[in-house]
Amino acid sequence: MSVSTTDPSQDAVEPQPAAERSGKDPLGRDFGKLWTAAMFSNLADGLGRTAVPLIATTLTKDPLAISVIGALAFVPWLIFGLPAGMLVDRYDRRIIMAIANGIRGGVALWLAILTVTGRIDIWALFLGTLIFGLGETLFDNATNAVIPGVVNRPQLDRANGWMQAAQITIDNFIATPIAGVLFAVSLALPLWIGGLGYIVPIVLALLLPIAAARPVRAATAATPTARSRVSAREAVSYLWHARYLRSMVIFTSIIGSAFSFAQAPLILFFLDEVHVAPAAIGFVTAGVGVGALLGSLAASGLVRRFGRGAVMLGANFVAALGMLLTGLAPEVFTAVAAFGLSAFAISIWNVPWGALRQQIVPAHLFGRVLGIIRMFTWGLFPIATVLGGWVARYSLRLPMLIGAGVVLIAALVAIRLLLVGTRQAGAEVDARAS
């Protein structure tokens, strides 16, 4: 994967006024609203994300069938990733965030009704997961596009770190353990509470400032035809000619698919291989979440000290080691510790990777470019997840061992891309200035 020194993504890196160069300034009230909305949304997400596969285990013990649920969560990114990005670039992102959470809340309540009436089956879980993923493409695209509108560029790594920390904290330390306990009380209870939990983020999304709406709002007001020029062609052309970013997308798709493959049988691994009770599964993921949370909080400091490229490279080596040790773990405590190490490294990777995209992609293209990136990368995850579930029929540990090997090899091949290419693309500038 060669990297050009004339990468067009450098055009997006502009000098910042002196007042905006400090990445250590307070992130501000508007970011606080966005962060709180994401926090409540993650609470609802975590309840549903835990409840659905647990309900599925009461209907089937087939690892392949369980892996399909994980796969279907990513299918909407393959089908709807680019259209979602176009909507985010064309319409008010605050409205899109509210609609997306409305969709997800409706799906959670629908599945809850089916569960309490005894009409739930594996196909309903498949369909619910698919529709839920549709709402996720809209919400995640809009949320990522809003961040650069409420903080300045040197703050991007820190802002992304706080967003990811909120997600990990809520999912692993609050939502998932609570969901496991609620599931033990009633199958549908996590879904009821999760569905109602989307009300708060809907309100907060609508209270975000006008800067969060759409970066081309001023151009639209001056030029009535501006909306009609929001098309996929410009974003596809940009990404195709941005050699560094294009290479990063390929690399990310490989390692992301490897982790999806490795984690396909994860819930059955904890339930059947290391013998965790269903009601305690949330506490296991809380232990794993310690590593993920620490990674999110440490990432921006590591980036400031070592640079984005070096941090992303090291994160991949550590993540591969953690996944390998998880597959070899003899019992639950070592499995949780090893998987926590992998989660720590993945969280560190996610922060600079998210900030890097927000820095080098032009604001008016961000939603569409992110949609294309996730359509390509996350669109491969369903295939990898189903393959992992198929391999898990032979051994629940084998997908983790294979996935770790793929990540290690991919990281070795991408050393120049991450260390040299990131610097040449101008993606280290704000990280070191902060």
Side-chain angles (χ1 to χ4, degrees), residues 140-294:
D140 283 7
N141 250 332
T143 302
N144 276 273
V146 162
I147 293 175
V150 296
V151 302
N152 58 58
R153 285 188 182 179
Q155 296 175 317
L156 286 175
D157 288 289
R158 191 152 54 98
N160 279 278
W162 276 103
M163 293 292 285
Q164 183 169 263
Q167 177 184 354
I168 293 168
T169 301
I170 296 297
D171 279 0
N172 293 281
F173 300 116
I174 300 177
T176 307
I178 291 176
V181 174
L182 294 177
F183 176 82
V185 175
S186 170
L187 298 185
L189 196 53
L191 294 172
W192 284 119
I193 297 176
L196 296 175
Y198 286 108
I199 296 175
V200 172
I202 288 174
V203 174
L204 289 173
L206 297 176
L207 292 176
L208 288 171
I210 196 71
R214 189 161 54 91
V216 295
R217 174 177 287 274
T220 302
T223 309
T225 59
R227 285 178 182 253
S228 64
R229 292 200 296 267
V230 176
S231 65
R233 180 178 299 178
E234 184 182 8
V236 172
S237 176
Y238 167 81
L239 188 57
W240 178 256
H241 290 94
R243 186 175 299 178
Y244 164 74
L245 189 58
R246 190 181 70 221
S247 299
M248 284 293 292
V249 170
I250 294 172
F251 173 68
T252 303
S253 69
I254 293 172
I255 61 171
S257 296
F259 283 122
S260 294
F261 177 90
Q263 296 177 32
L266 194 60
I267 191 165
L268 285 178
F269 169 79
F270 280 116
L271 291 175
D272 296 344
E273 195 74 16
V274 293
H275 310 296
V276 176
I281 196 70
F283 296 96
V284 169
T285 57
V288 172
V290 171
L293 177 60
L294 291 176

Side-chain angles (χ1 to χ4, degrees), residues 330-352:
E331 40 73 42
V332 63
F333 295 106
T334 51
V336 170
F339 195 71
L341 177 65
S342 182
F344 170 81
I346 292 172
S347 291
I348 288 179
W349 158 271
N350 284 338
V351 170

